[in-house]
Amino acid sequence: MGMGVRVRVWGDYALFSRPEMKVERCSYDVMTPSAARGILEAIYWHPGMRWIIDKIYVKKPIQFTSVRRNEVKSKILASNVLQVYNGADKSLCISSKSDIVQRASLLLCDVEYVIEAHFEMTENANASDNAGKFKDIIMRRLRRGECFHMPYFGCREFPAHFCLCEEEQIQTAYEDVDEKDLGFMLYDIDYSDKENIQPMFFRAVMKNGVLDLRDCEVVR
Amino acid sequence: MSEAIKNRYEFVILFDVENGNPNGDPDAGNMPRIDPESGLGLVTDVCLKRKIRNYVEMVKEDEAGYKIYIKEDVPLNRSDREACESLGIRETEDKKVTDALKKLKKDDPDVDVKLRDYMCRNFYDIRTFGAVMTTFVKASLNCGQVRGPVQIGFARSIDPIVSQEVTITRVAITTEKDAENKSTEMGRKSIVPYGLYRAEGFISANLARKVTGFSEEDLQLLWDAIINMFENDHSAARGKMAVRELIVFKHSKELGDCPAYKLFDAVEVRRNEGVEYPRKYQDYTVQIHNDQIPDSVEIKRMI
């Protein structure tokens, strides 16, 4: 697996929203593969490559905390919008009581993971691109702490610090837990058909603190 | 408009509160936010962003290019519509704006990008923090999602905070009926006697250059806004709040020279020896360990 890379990521908080609990956001127990992909893409990405997550090591015990914030309602009534568009002098302002809601988020706190991933070349690569070149760029960025933008754990207010993981043997927080079934988790979102963007799920089973995503069954 | 910034930045803000409530927790009856395990106080990112927006709004007074998108009394969709009008999309007589939009979309596949750029040019907070301009309504305008270059995490206090309930009375009674029975009413205020908070932030030059065009001038305004964010935010609840330290790390490159955590670790805030109950800023010492920072990173103490 020459195109493979291991990245250690850690931070104070994380929020990997469960799609079924979106209004009052609630985090999954561990990082989703799509969040891991987002972190890697924040460090390096190119149209000529695609990140594939192989394993996620859970290095700290799973702990939750909650925070309630004043937030802006995400959806505005279609009828109201249409009226405003058509010139009605209606107010849909953001600070009025009706447009601000208090929402709780259930966050993970004190998280640390190791993401094991590799990349594949896509047909969008330029003629001068090759896997070795990408790999070099990635390794350089990881060693120097360079990034396109600061990676984050699910939401931008939860920054993810990162560095190259150089340990051979990765210790997890659940060494002595053979199997922990985390239920169905979001695998990623399939954007290949722009008209019909679909979420993909998988049955997450953490074995000794490791989520193995190689040849897992993906359900749509 | 001047050019987008060319360097990555990280910054540490130290601010303190004296006998006030920096950020109330709606879950706990507006008591100051506390991390229940460590007892450390919290101030959310959105709280700080609100103050930065308020400062910019106050200083710039809606000057061209420095409008604030998320503020009082302006409907979001009206702002979207403004973007439309600047591109020559007007509500025609047939009243079907949606049709006009559809037509325009067909004619010009880049309309979303154009609208996005228009919004970024005009609104300081979108250029800085980004915004979701999708209204997810059928056939309504979709300006797209913008990630701004400036990212701020939660602020946390250096030491555990104690929140104190202060009971107060008032002599003016709201309802006539209550006034018959009593002459005073009791109210409550929660205060933190003293707390020094630390917030950490990141600025990505790439997002500035490729998406929003956040410029050097904008950056200067951001620093001003951070330094003065509490100066014009006095209220009965806040007590005395002040930004004590704004430490800026300027990388020599767009991608940065070293990991952010190394820079943050180099800023040490320590309670002075012999101080058991910190009650003032002078009870703390701030030290920057220059030896842990690569030479190519420029350190600026803005206050």
Side-chain angles (χ1 to χ4, degrees):
Chain A
M1 221 182 49
M3 298 310 114
V5 64
R6 277 175 170 180
V7 184
R8 186 166 80 89
V9 290
W10 69 98
D12 291 333
Y13 300 99
L15 175 53
F16 310 111
S17 303
R18 286 174 186 267
E20 69 271 27
M21 284 183 257
K22 220 165 176 184
V23 177
E24 299 243 297
R25 289 182 297 263
C26 172
S27 180
Y28 278 118
D29 291 357
V30 300
M31 177 155 56
T32 59
S34 78
R37 179 177 59 83
I39 288 176
L40 296 178
E41 285 176 356
I43 299 167
Y44 183 71
W45 180 77
H46 187 278
M49 64 174 281
R50 182 189 307 123
W51 280 110
I52 292 161
I53 310 296
D54 297 319
K55 281 182 180 179
I56 293 170
Y57 297 80
V58 183
K59 304 235 334 149
K60 293 250 174 94
I62 297 162
Q63 295 177 70
F64 289 94
T65 186
S66 88
V67 167
R68 188 179 291 269
R69 286 177 282 185
N70 287 326
E71 295 180 8
V72 178
K73 265 194 214 172
S74 57
K75 284 184 187 168
I76 303 167
L77 274 178
S79 54
N80 277 357
V81 174
L82 210 65
Q83 279 172 340
V84 174
Y85 262 102
N86 290 334
D89 223 8
K90 255 194 167 176
S91 226
L92 297 165
C93 64
I94 213 160
S95 62
S96 77
K97 272 181 188 157
S98 59
D99 275 312
I100 280 206
V101 282
Q102 293 190 337
R103 285 194 186 139
S105 318
L106 199 59
L107 321 174
L108 290 169
C109 48
D110 195 18
V111 294
E112 183 173 343
Y113 304 97
V114 170
I115 304 168
E116 196 173 294
H118 69 278
F119 60 86
E120 280 175 1
M121 304 294 285
T122 66
E123 63 277 18
N124 294 327
N126 301 323
S128 60
D129 289 335
N130 61 60
K133 175 177 157 187
F134 285 156
K135 172 93 179 185
D136 284 348
I137 297 174
I138 292 158
M139 295 310 271
R140 198 160 56 230
R141 288 204 180 176
L142 286 173
R143 289 212 177 89
R144 293 191 192 158
E146 299 175 341
C147 56
F148 182 84
H149 64 84
M150 192 65 189
Y152 47 88
F153 288 119
C155 297
R156 290 194 82 196
E157 57 269 39
F158 311 123
H161 295 298
F162 63 94
C163 72
L164 186 68
C165 173
E166 315 210 56
E167 304 159 55
E168 273 303 308
Q169 208 68 37
I170 297 167
Q171 285 286 317
T172 69
Y174 296 92
E175 264 336 300
D176 45 0
V177 181
D178 283 345
E179 234 182 67
K180 191 175 157 84
D181 192 342
L182 302 174
F184 275 100
M185 263 175 78
L186 181 77
Y187 181 77
D188 210 327
I189 294 174
D190 184 3
Y191 295 97
S192 54
D193 180 5
K194 287 249 162 64
E195 294 298 306
N196 184 21
I197 295 168
Q198 277 198 328
M200 302 181 285
F201 295 89
F202 73 109
R203 188 69 188 249
V205 179
M206 190 170 75
K207 286 180 182 152
N208 303 101
V210 184
L211 211 56
D212 196 335
L213 302 152
R214 293 170 304 180
D215 29 76
C216 68
E217 193 192 349
V218 173
V219 191
R220 277 160 203 263
Chain B
M1 210 73 207
S2 53
E3 265 181 81
I5 52 165
K6 294 205 169 53
N7 305 78
R8 185 178 121 187
Y9 293 86
E10 258 93 45
F11 56 93
V12 175
I13 313 168
L14 292 177
F15 60 92
D16 65 353
V17 57
E18 211 179 297
N19 294 328
N21 182 358
N23 188 196
D25 186 348
D27 256 349
N30 213 31
M31 301 245 293
R33 290 183 190 274
I34 280 192
D35 173 352
E37 272 168 5
S38 60
L40 299 177
L42 289 177
V43 172
T44 58
D45 59 313
V46 278
C47 171
L48 299 176
K49 285 183 190 168
R50 177 76 261 164
K51 304 211 187 313
I52 293 171
R53 284 189 168 106
N54 287 348
Y55 177 83
V56 173
E57 197 183 349
M58 193 193 65
V59 169
K60 292 290 181 182
E61 285 179 343
D62 271 354
E63 197 180 294
Y66 291 95
K67 288 187 198 165
I68 295 294
Y69 191 60
I70 299 185
K71 66 172 185 180
E72 282 154 52
D73 303 326
V74 173
L76 281 177
N77 287 87
R78 218 185 278 162
S79 299
D80 276 352
R81 199 174 52 184
E82 235 171 74
C84 265
E85 282 179 7
S86 84
L87 287 173
I89 312 166
R90 282 190 195 285
E91 292 163 51
T92 41
E93 296 88 40
D94 59 29
K95 281 183 276 180
K96 295 273 183 202
V97 184
T98 49
D99 280 0
L101 276 173
K102 263 188 209 156
K103 218 167 44 192
L104 189 103
K105 263 198 167 160
K106 227 183 262 168
D107 296 346
D108 184 357
D110 300 334
V111 68
D112 279 351
V113 174
K114 278 189 186 153
L115 291 180
R116 185 193 75 190
D117 289 348
Y118 169 84
M119 295 302 272
C120 286
R121 255 197 330 275
N122 279 280
F123 292 90
Y124 179 79
D125 56 338
I126 295 180
R127 235 172 19 243
T128 310
F129 303 125
V132 181
M133 282 176 275
T134 325
T135 37
F136 290 118
V137 181
K138 233 183 251 168
S140 87
L141 184 59
N142 179 356
C143 280
Q145 194 182 331
V146 179
R147 255 177 324 175
V150 179
Q151 184 180 346
I152 301 178
F154 280 9
R156 249 201 314 214
S157 65
I158 308 298
D159 282 309
I161 56 163
V162 190
S163 96
Q164 205 174 316
E165 283 268 277
V166 181
T167 307
I168 51 174
T169 58
R170 63 168 189 174
V171 287
I173 312 295
T174 321
T175 61
E176 292 249 350
K177 195 159 171 285
D178 283 354
E180 285 168 16
N181 305 325
K182 52 188 175 184
S183 58
T184 56
E185 266 186 348
M186 308 289 257
R188 271 185 188 180
K189 265 174 108 162
S190 306
I191 59 160
V192 178
Y194 185 80
L196 181 63
Y197 289 75
R198 171 183 177 141
E200 293 169 349
F202 313 84
I203 304 178
S204 155
N206 296 286
L207 290 177
R209 179 166 59 87
K210 293 194 177 152
V211 188
T212 74
F214 182 78
S215 67
E216 289 290 341
E217 283 161 42
D218 292 334
L219 185 71
Q220 212 50 53
L221 181 60
L222 178 75
W223 300 143
D224 284 347
I226 291 174
I227 291 166
N228 294 307
M229 66 183 169
F230 298 119
E231 300 305 324
N232 298 290
D233 184 60
H234 296 299
S235 76
R238 299 273 173 261
K240 258 163 79 181
M241 291 189 75
V243 175
R244 294 296 187 158
E245 200 64 81
L246 171 61
I247 301 163
V248 176
F249 299 102
K250 181 180 181 183
H251 296 256
S252 66
K253 285 180 294 191
E254 199 171 63
L255 288 168
D257 300 314
C258 85
Y261 67 90
K262 285 202 175 155
L263 301 176
F264 293 142
D265 287 352
V267 177
E268 190 193 345
V269 183
R270 212 183 33 239
R271 198 168 69 212
N272 292 340
E273 241 167 86
V275 177
E276 202 172 339
Y277 309 110
R279 285 292 181 268
K280 55 184 186 298
Y281 183 62
Q282 287 71 25
D283 289 342
Y284 287 94
T285 308
V286 180
Q287 204 185 353
I288 304 175
H289 297 282
N290 287 315
D291 50 317
Q292 296 174 17
I293 299 171
D295 293 335
S296 52
V297 177
E298 191 186 323
I299 311 159
K300 253 191 261 175
R301 283 172 100 141
M302 307 287 281
I303 301 183

